[in-house]
């Protein structure tokens, strides 16, 4: 995938390199949605990591503290609570047209993927800012969004102040 090679050029060679699709298959069967290929490819390469000391990406095969499945389930439950649901443009969940939480940031943002309503539709990224509270949709794939973030573009999360020496990632403990 072109985005992964560009991401590697910025973050360095990945060390996780997970080869087994079983954790993804189990999580996708549980949730009833197939995660986009670029998200799977990136997290299979890097695993559960902190990017720029700000953005947390999680993989379904890591231990419970940094497990993508646990994160998704907890975040869906949180964003469906009556007093939180009003801060999203549509329902949190894994169904068509819903918002699937996939990442979080130390600065209070949650990154969602808009689940396509139809098979011909593209996945897109929504970033919800907890401190505002506002949200922004990005008409790009997760890989495109992550690459824009790593390049310091304004995609709600700002990495320039977090990565003055350039993008970096560190495995989550």
């Amino acid at each position: 995938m072109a985005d992964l090679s560009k991401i590697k050029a910025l973050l360095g060679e990945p060390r996780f390199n997970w080869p087994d699709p079983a954790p993804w298959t189990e999580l996708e069967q549980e949730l009833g949605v197939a995660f986009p290929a670029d998200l799977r490819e990136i997290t299979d390469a890097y695993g559960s990591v902190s990017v720029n000391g700000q953005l947390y990406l999680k993989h379904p095969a890591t231990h419970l503290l940094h497990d993508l499945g646990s994160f998704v389930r907890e975040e869906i439950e949180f964003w469906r609570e009556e007093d939180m649901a009003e801060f999203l443009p549509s329902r949190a969940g894994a169904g068509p047209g819903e918002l699937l939480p996939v990442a979080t940031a130390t600065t209070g943002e949650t990154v969602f993927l808009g689940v396509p309503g139809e098979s011909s539709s593209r996945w897109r990224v929504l970033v919800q800012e907890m401190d505002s509270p506002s949200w922004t949709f990005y008409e790009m794939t997760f890989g495109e969004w992550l690459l824009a973030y790593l390049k310091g573009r304004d995609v709600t999360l700002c990495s320039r102040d977090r990565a003055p020496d350039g993008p970096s990632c560190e495995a989550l403990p």
Side-chain angles (χ1 to χ4, degrees):
M1 177 172 282
D3 290 335
L4 182 57
S5 63
K6 292 175 185 174
I7 289 166
K8 285 180 182 180
L10 293 167
L11 286 181
E13 282 300 312
R15 295 189 181 114
F16 191 69
N17 297 312
W18 187 264
D20 183 8
W24 285 106
T25 303
E26 291 171 21
L27 182 57
E28 289 173 342
Q29 287 175 345
E30 175 190 338
L31 297 174
V33 66
F35 285 84
D38 61 341
L39 174 70
R40 286 180 60 155
E41 186 175 35
I42 292 162
T43 55
D44 276 347
Y46 287 95
S48 294
V49 293
S50 168
V51 179
N52 296 339
Q54 177 183 31
L55 177 65
Y56 296 114
L57 303 180
K58 299 181 180 197
H59 190 275
T62 53
H63 57 81
L64 290 177
L65 184 58
H66 301 298
D67 166 52
L68 179 63
S70 297
F71 170 78
V72 169
R73 287 186 291 277
E74 290 168 11
E75 289 294 303
I76 287 173
E77 185 178 322
F78 173 78
W79 288 103
R80 284 185 175 176
E81 290 177 12
E82 186 176 335
D83 57 342
M84 296 310 298
E86 68 182 91
F87 297 116
L88 293 175
S90 57
R91 180 178 157 97
E98 293 182 329
L99 296 169
L100 182 63
V102 295
T104 190
T106 59
T107 46
E109 297 86 358
T110 301
V111 179
F112 294 87
L113 296 179
V115 180
E118 300 175 20
S119 59
S120 61
S121 299
R122 277 179 40 138
W123 288 86
R124 56 190 188 152
V125 175
L126 177 130
V127 180
Q128 198 287 334
E129 297 178 79
M130 188 62 119
D131 59 346
S132 303
S134 64
W135 50 266
T136 306
F137 259 119
Y138 295 94
E139 294 295 333
M140 50 181 71
T141 65
F142 180 79
E144 292 167 340
W145 178 86
L146 181 60
L147 189 57
Y149 166 74
L150 293 172
K151 290 180 175 181
R153 297 202 179 112
D154 183 8
V155 286
T156 306
L157 295 178
C158 182
S159 63
R160 284 183 281 282
D161 61 335
R162 296 281 177 162
D165 299 326
S168 65
C169 74
E170 182 178 314
L172 293 174

